[in-house]
Amino acid sequence: MPEELYPVKPEIARVAHVGSMEEYRRLYDLSMADPERFWAEQAETLTWFHKWSTVFDADYEEVDFGWFLGGRLNACFNCVDRHLKDRGNQTAIIWAADEPGVYKHITYRDLKHNVSRVANVLKEHGVKAGDRVCIYMPMIPELAYAMLACARIGAVHSVVFAGFSAEALRDRIVDAGTKVVLTANEGLRGGKVIHLKRIVDRALEGMQTVTTVLVARRTPSEVPMQAGRDHWLEDEVKRQRSTCTFEWMGAEDPLFILYTSGSTGKPKGVLHTTGGYLVYAAMTHKYVFDFRPGDIYFCAADAGWITGHSYIIYGPLANGATTVMFESTPVYPDPGRYWRIVDDLKVNIFYTAPTALRAIAQAGDSWVKEYKRSSLRVLGSVGEPINPEIWRWYHDVVGEKRCAVVDTWWQTETGGILITPLPGATPTKPGSATLPFFGVKPLIVDHEGKPLEGNGVSGALCLNSAWPGQARTIHGDHHRFKETYFTQYPGYYFTGDGARRDEDGYYWITGRIDDVINVSGHRLGTAEIESALVAHEAVAEAAVVGYPHEVKGTAIYAYVVLGAEYACRSRQEMQGALKEQVSQAIGRFAAPEVIHITASLPKTRSGKIMRRILRKIAASEYEGMGDITTLAEPEAVERLVKEHRDLSGR
Ligand code: WT7
């Protein structure tokens, strides 16, 4: 079947940073032939207090990478202060509140004052360069101030998405060793109140190590404040000066930790450093979205995830952009919310996840067409594979066939986008992330770890190059960093994804091939959910798999075996209790869609759970189960299939 190819739009190419395939190839070849020269040139776009002496240095055995060594800079200075001269009065952040139609414009000058005040508050509470600070906040401007304030004084922020539960928050606070937590009294999302301070209180119960909790006021509600520990942020900043000196950080000093899920139960604190990360975030933001000064840029992610770090805060602000920070959901108060914002603010570049697009496409095109989208030029997608139908819908309906669609593949660990089209250069194919960004060398590797040459191959997606934005370690566990990413396919970084390289050399990401699932663009480890389930006294055993879901992309399916004394409980009651259990342990977004209570799990005679079979049944694929004769109890499969049919009606 000939694949659809969408040519580059001439109007976009004419003014783009990279305006043709030849230009893309020229730059790509340069980045491969002389990476140090290439990246040194890019690094010049930032402001350095002291120039680096070595562009790149690596100890591959130790998996120790360093970029721009000897260089000194400050990420906050680069995102804020250096813009004051030329664009002090330009809007840096447009905050789009949960309430429809409510916006707040924050100029670069305001941003500097607000960030400096928060930085001074942190200093007053004893935060020093290198200290970790936990940020558990809703999408309010104070979240951006807090991140940048940390960067200003050299503290390492650990933002925890405000959808995580108290237990999950506690684990992350303990792992990072944070003494200060920033939060809000309450969050507002889709008109619903989230009791953030209450969750923080629960997370900190019995914990002596956190000495300060700073509470932003998002709603008028009062919340209990523990004397000596808790302080209202608004009172604290009032006392502070609007200026605060910045630390001259080394290029390889940590900028932040961000927890993400892996194949074990314990989340990993992915650590990014200052110089390389910022160079990479800024550069990719400029080229992938074809960002130009004056553009209104709207990434609808939450700053609690890497997309928000790199493409709401650091990348756009380093480039002096006007970046939108959106507090609400794509369907509040109705599925036209994104396009209302696009119309109100005259957004030029828009970036979201396929799951959000699927949810709003389902509601019908009229929600899109009700608003003018003539300002739009580039439409981005991230977080999971985008199905060709929704890609076409994005292109045809949202973008009126006028905009470039960029399907951007990357990960928390990569710091920035790695495989993507460039709006003015790359002809696109719906569903394909297309070609590598500059400096990136993807490999498709077979079972034995042998890279497959040529086109028309599929296998595990690995990377065979170093780029400045890549994570340097897992906080407190470099061994795990090495093990997770660099041992499975020795010599290469293993992404955890499967991929195909088609006849034209285009990459198609087929999804995770490890024990990680992407649910509505949220990354979760099956082991994490399993350990939450077995922590419930009723559960003897649990196995979690992902299955295809129309809106969420992948949804969570949990097989659960109950202990003997619970076997007679009502299923409905148990299912509710177990969903609640996972919500408490991780967060509501991790609660399984389906809880399948059964008598036993299919295992090999050596006791290994046959996940392949569980995945097939969850997906209602009853054919091709493969060899089941090695099962200890082959009849279990038939029973599970029958139970699944009853549960799902399929
Ligand atoms: C995983 C990383 C990168 C920011 C958001 C997610 C999947 C991401 C795409 C894409 C297909 C994608 C991969 C990846 N993913 N973007 N364009 N096409 N899959 O970051 O939470 O670290 O998850 O998201 O499976 O490994 P994350």
Side-chain angles (χ1 to χ4, degrees):
M1 186 190 85
E3 263 151 355
E4 300 163 88
L5 197 66
Y6 287 63
V8 171
K9 278 115 185 130
E11 319 78 74
I12 290 182
R14 207 162 31 232
V15 287
H17 294 302
V18 181
S20 67
M21 213 46 197
E22 292 68 51
E23 180 62 2
Y24 161 75
R25 287 225 180 80
R26 189 184 69 80
L27 287 167
Y28 184 80
D29 291 347
L30 265 182
S31 75
M32 287 291 132
D34 193 350
E36 300 202 8
R37 189 172 139 206
F38 182 86
W39 289 114
E41 244 168 65
Q42 287 308 319
E44 297 283 359
T45 62
L46 296 184
T47 306
W48 297 77
F49 302 137
H50 189 287
K51 202 170 157 170
W52 59 88
S53 47
T54 307
V55 178
F56 175 65
D57 186 35
D59 177 338
Y60 286 97
E61 211 155 295
E62 276 308 303
V63 189
D64 180 357
F65 309 113
W67 286 88
F68 312 114
L69 294 156
R72 297 221 157 245
L73 78 168
N74 184 284
C76 179
F77 179 87
N78 273 281
C79 290
V80 184
D81 304 60
R82 68 162 174 160
H83 301 309
L84 291 187
K85 196 157 99 4
D86 297 329
R87 53 180 100 238
N89 296 326
Q90 181 200 301
T91 302
I93 297 175
I94 306 177
W95 180 57
D98 194 51
E99 301 90 340
V102 175
Y103 301 104
K104 183 172 167 185
H105 288 65
I106 298 144
T107 65
Y108 272 97
R109 182 158 293 108
D110 298 337
L111 186 59
K112 192 213 147 188
H113 295 160
N114 291 325
V115 168
S116 297
R117 288 199 173 93
V118 175
N120 285 328
V121 172
L122 292 175
K123 281 212 251 185
E124 198 179 274
H125 286 276
V127 178
K128 292 189 185 60
D131 289 351
R132 275 82 56 208
V133 171
C134 176
I135 304 177
Y136 183 71
M137 283 181 138
M139 281 289 281
I140 55 178
E142 286 79 359
L143 167 55
Y145 305 159
M147 290 168 74
L148 293 164
C150 287
R152 194 171 190 87
I153 62 172
V156 181
H157 58 68
S158 161
V159 181
V160 177
F161 171 60
F164 277 109
S165 69
E167 258 179 68
L169 175 61
R170 184 194 355 245
D171 291 346
R172 285 156 179 77
I173 289 171
V174 170
D175 187 85
T178 52
K179 285 178 285 194
V180 173
V181 178
L182 287 110
T183 188
N185 58 342
E186 295 178 335
L188 269 188
R189 208 157 173 270
K192 290 198 203 77
V193 172
I194 307 158
H195 300 279
L196 295 176
K197 174 63 166 59
R198 211 189 282 169
I199 297 172
V200 170
D201 286 342
R202 234 182 294 136
L204 297 185
E205 253 165 48
M207 202 195 287
Q208 303 301 320
T209 43
V210 171
T211 49
T212 304
V213 177
L214 298 164
V215 186
R217 196 187 286 280
R218 171 60 182 97
T219 66
S221 305
E222 289 306 322
V223 289
M225 299 289 277
Q226 185 179 309
R229 187 194 70 179
D230 304 347
H231 310 270
W232 289 103
L233 187 61
E234 58 179 1
D235 299 338
E236 296 284 299
V237 293
K238 264 188 226 143
R239 288 205 304 273
Q240 299 296 338
R241 300 187 58 206
S242 61
T243 160
C244 170
T245 53
F246 27 79
E247 291 287 322
W248 288 30
M249 303 307 289
E252 282 299 330
D253 283 339
L255 179 61
F256 65 83
I257 296 169
L258 186 57
Y259 286 87
T260 190
S261 298
S263 48
T264 72
K266 192 173 177 283
K268 304 177 273 198
V270 172
L271 185 131
H272 283 283
T273 56
T274 309
Y277 170 81
L278 198 60
V279 168
Y280 199 74
M283 182 193 186
T284 46
H285 172 258
K286 173 176 165 186
Y287 285 96
V288 173
F289 301 108
D290 199 37
F291 168 77
R292 286 196 300 274
D295 279 343
I296 308 289
Y297 166 85
F298 174 17
C299 165
D302 191 289
W305 307 107
I306 190 71
T307 307
H309 282 56
S310 301
Y311 299 114
I312 298 177
I313 309 292
Y314 287 111
L317 294 177
N319 289 333
T322 297
T323 180
V324 178
M325 226 179 138
F326 179 41
E327 189 181 26
S328 194
T329 84
V331 293
Y332 180 77
D334 58 54
R337 187 65 190 276
Y338 279 165
W339 324 120
R340 175 177 174 156
I341 296 176
V342 165
D343 196 357
D344 284 352
L345 304 177
K346 303 289 171 269
V347 169
N348 306 107
I349 303 165
F350 176 67
Y351 192 29
T352 193
T355 183
L357 296 173
R358 285 190 294 264
I360 49 192
Q362 253 184 13
D365 296 356
S366 59
W367 290 110
V368 186
K369 292 181 174 153
E370 193 170 324
Y371 301 96
K372 268 211 289 303
R373 283 147 288 118
S374 49
S375 54
L376 287 173
R377 192 176 76 240
V378 178
L379 301 171
S381 168
V382 64
E384 43 172 332
I386 181 166
N387 42 314
E389 309 72 55
I390 213 72
W391 192 103
R392 283 184 219 107
W393 180 82
Y394 204 19
H395 178 269
D396 295 353
V397 179
V398 175
E400 302 173 307
K401 304 187 177 169
R402 196 172 29 75
C403 301
V405 172
V406 289
D407 171 13
T408 65
W409 176 88
W410 59 297
Q411 312 179 298
T412 303
E413 296 87 342
T414 71
I417 295 163
L418 293 195
I419 303 181
T420 179
L422 299 183
T426 320
T428 42
K429 299 181 187 184
S432 168
T434 75
L435 299 171
F437 190 72
F438 309 132
V440 175
K441 181 134 187 44
L443 290 180
I444 305 275
V445 177
D446 71 9
H447 297 299
E448 280 124 47
K450 198 164 72 29
L452 300 169
E453 303 290 332
N455 291 337
V457 293
S458 46
L461 180 65
C462 290
L463 300 163
N464 187 25
S465 56
W467 66 99
Q470 83 183 114
R472 302 296 194 261
T473 191
I474 290 171
H475 174 71
D477 198 349
H478 193 64
H479 178 72
R480 188 171 174 201
F481 184 66
K482 282 203 264 188
E483 286 290 308
T484 311
Y485 305 106
F486 295 93
T487 54
Q488 207 147 338
Y489 298 96
Y492 313 123
Y493 168 91
F494 174 48
T495 64
D497 281 317
R500 175 166 71 89
R501 184 165 56 227
D502 75 9
E503 298 306 329
D504 299 322
Y506 275 41
Y507 289 87
W508 298 73
I509 312 298
T510 48
R512 301 291 305 201
I513 50 175
D514 54 2
D515 295 321
V516 169
I517 44 184
N518 274 310
V519 182
S520 302
H522 297 322
R523 175 165 159 187
L524 290 158
T526 52
E528 223 178 325
I529 306 167
E530 286 163 7
S531 65
L533 287 167
V534 297
H536 192 284
E537 54 182 7
V539 177
E541 250 189 319
V544 167
V545 297
Y547 73 99
H549 185 277
E550 235 174 272
V551 173
K552 297 182 171 187
T554 304
I556 305 168
Y557 194 110
Y559 294 88
V560 171
V561 179
L562 298 179
E565 60 281 35
Y566 288 86
C568 55
R569 290 283 179 89
S570 116
R571 265 165 204 254
Q572 225 173 352
E573 179 198 336
M574 283 316 304
Q575 283 159 339
L578 294 179
K579 285 183 188 181
E580 188 51 33
Q581 166 78 14
V582 178
S583 302
Q584 292 291 333
I586 305 172
R588 196 147 291 283
F589 64 93
E593 189 81 14
V594 181
I595 304 251
H596 178 158
I597 296 172
T598 191
S600 66
L601 300 174
K603 288 185 186 159
T604 61
R605 281 185 211 106
S606 57
K608 203 169 158 310
I609 296 175
M610 297 273 271
R611 284 169 186 279
R612 177 172 52 84
I613 290 173
L614 295 178
R615 273 193 285 268
K616 285 243 166 208
I617 297 174
S620 306
E621 286 172 21
Y622 309 124
E623 304 298 314
M625 295 271 186
D627 185 13
I628 57 169
T629 54
T630 56
L631 283 179
E633 195 200 352
E635 57 288 357
V637 174
E638 217 170 294
R639 185 193 72 238
L640 285 164
V641 168
K642 186 182 168 305
E643 288 166 352
H644 172 76
R645 283 186 194 272
D646 292 343
L647 257 173
S648 65
R650 289 162 76 180

